[in-house]
Amino acid sequence: GDSVTQMEGPVTLSEEAFLTINCTYTATGYPSLFWYVQYPGEGLQLLLKATKADDKGSNKGFEATYRKETTSFHLEKGSVQVSDSAVYFCALRVMKVTFGIGTKLQVIP
Amino acid sequence: GAVVSQHPSWVICKSGTSVKIECRSLDFQATTMFWYRQFPKQSLMLMATSNEGSKATYEQGVEKDKFLINHASLTLSTLTVTSAHPEDSSFYICSAHRDRGTGELFFGEGSRLTVL
């Protein structure tokens, strides 16, 4: 079946540090890939997405590139802020949406 | 953006009682809504797909008599946990995508159920 693997965390970074959260997947068919973010006390929100190989999704300084050859969709940001502290979920959709376990990011001043 | 609201956001109940959780799409119609369950340090697990005007479609291993889903209108789906037990304690999340939209999923804030 479809699955998404991501680092559990927590990931603790200082403000302005570079962020990478790895995400790899297995899927039947050709999935769309997503990163969702869940801020404390809030529901999940779509952060970015990519629908086909080599697409790059970007939003709020975050980027992720759909790499079919490595079945990966790693999330990156060049300079994190305290306000980026949240849980980040990698997900894929073929027929249904399958989520990774979520990675908690803590950014300290 | 589109808003999905869940109520209650947290509930504590005694073992053996039933609890109803509501999921509303506030500014769009949603023929289909989804119910997820999230365990600590685990991913969201799809429980069922709620279809307006018809029976819900349950994922394998999810007891349909335990988790009753009703999708009475295009903006409301309810999940009732019947005869709740401590092992039903969890975080329940609903989501929906806008009819005739892009397929983007919008999530509710989640409802934390604690069964004593």
Side-chain angles (χ1 to χ4, degrees):
Chain A
D2 300 340
S3 67
V4 175
T5 302
Q6 63 179 112
M7 58 204 318
E8 181 177 340
V11 174
T12 302
L13 296 173
S14 297
E15 207 165 21
E16 299 183 1
F18 185 87
L19 168 71
T20 300
I21 300 178
N22 289 340
C23 171
T24 57
Y25 66 91
T26 58
T28 55
Y30 300 95
S32 295
L33 301 176
F34 307 85
W35 277 100
Y36 285 88
V37 58
Q38 186 176 29
Y39 297 104
E42 299 183 18
L44 275 75
Q45 304 173 26
L46 178 65
L47 179 60
L48 54 84
K49 67 178 181 182
T51 58
K52 62 183 187 299
D54 299 325
D55 270 2
K56 178 186 284 188
S58 61
N59 185 25
K60 299 181 180 180
F62 290 89
E63 292 183 341
T65 301
Y66 190 144
R67 301 287 188 199
K68 187 177 179 182
E69 63 276 13
T70 54
T71 61
S72 64
F73 193 54
H74 304 322
L75 182 68
E76 296 182 337
K77 186 174 185 181
S79 177
V80 294
Q81 305 300 313
V82 173
S83 57
D84 294 327
S85 298
V87 180
Y88 293 82
F89 292 88
C90 185
L92 67 84
R93 182 173 69 201
V94 181
M95 297 295 291
K96 302 169 186 174
V97 179
T98 301
F99 289 88
I101 61 171
T103 301
K104 185 174 183 178
L105 171 65
Q106 297 175 323
V107 181
I108 55 178
Chain B
V3 177
V4 174
S5 178
Q6 279 184 244
H7 177 79
S9 56
W10 59 269
V11 57
I12 301 172
C13 71
K14 294 182 178 180
S15 188
T17 60
S18 295
V19 174
K20 180 186 286 187
I21 301 170
E22 293 185 347
C23 178
R24 294 181 184 273
S25 56
L26 296 185
D27 55 355
F28 65 97
Q29 293 184 335
T31 302
T32 303
M33 293 184 176
F34 304 90
W35 285 97
Y36 296 84
R37 184 172 177 177
Q38 186 180 23
F39 294 97
K41 298 190 176 183
Q42 294 189 32
S43 181
L44 283 73
M45 180 191 76
L46 180 64
M47 298 174 64
T49 302
S50 172
N51 305 297
E52 189 269 336
S54 64
K55 292 182 179 180
T57 304
Y58 290 82
E59 296 299 301
Q60 190 173 8
V62 178
E63 300 175 60
K64 55 185 69 175
D65 294 331
K66 173 70 151 175
F67 299 100
L68 299 180
I69 291 173
N70 183 274
H71 196 145
S73 76
L74 288 173
T75 59
L76 173 64
S77 175
T78 60
L79 169 68
T80 301
V81 183
T82 63
S83 187
H85 291 282
E87 57 266 29
D88 298 325
S89 299
S90 192
F91 196 57
Y92 294 88
I93 302 173
C94 73
S95 71
H97 57 74
R98 189 193 301 268
D99 287 353
R100 294 184 295 279
T102 63
E104 179 179 345
L105 276 177
F106 301 96
F107 286 82
E109 311 94 322
S111 300
R112 182 164 299 285
L113 170 63
T114 301
V115 184
L116 303 177

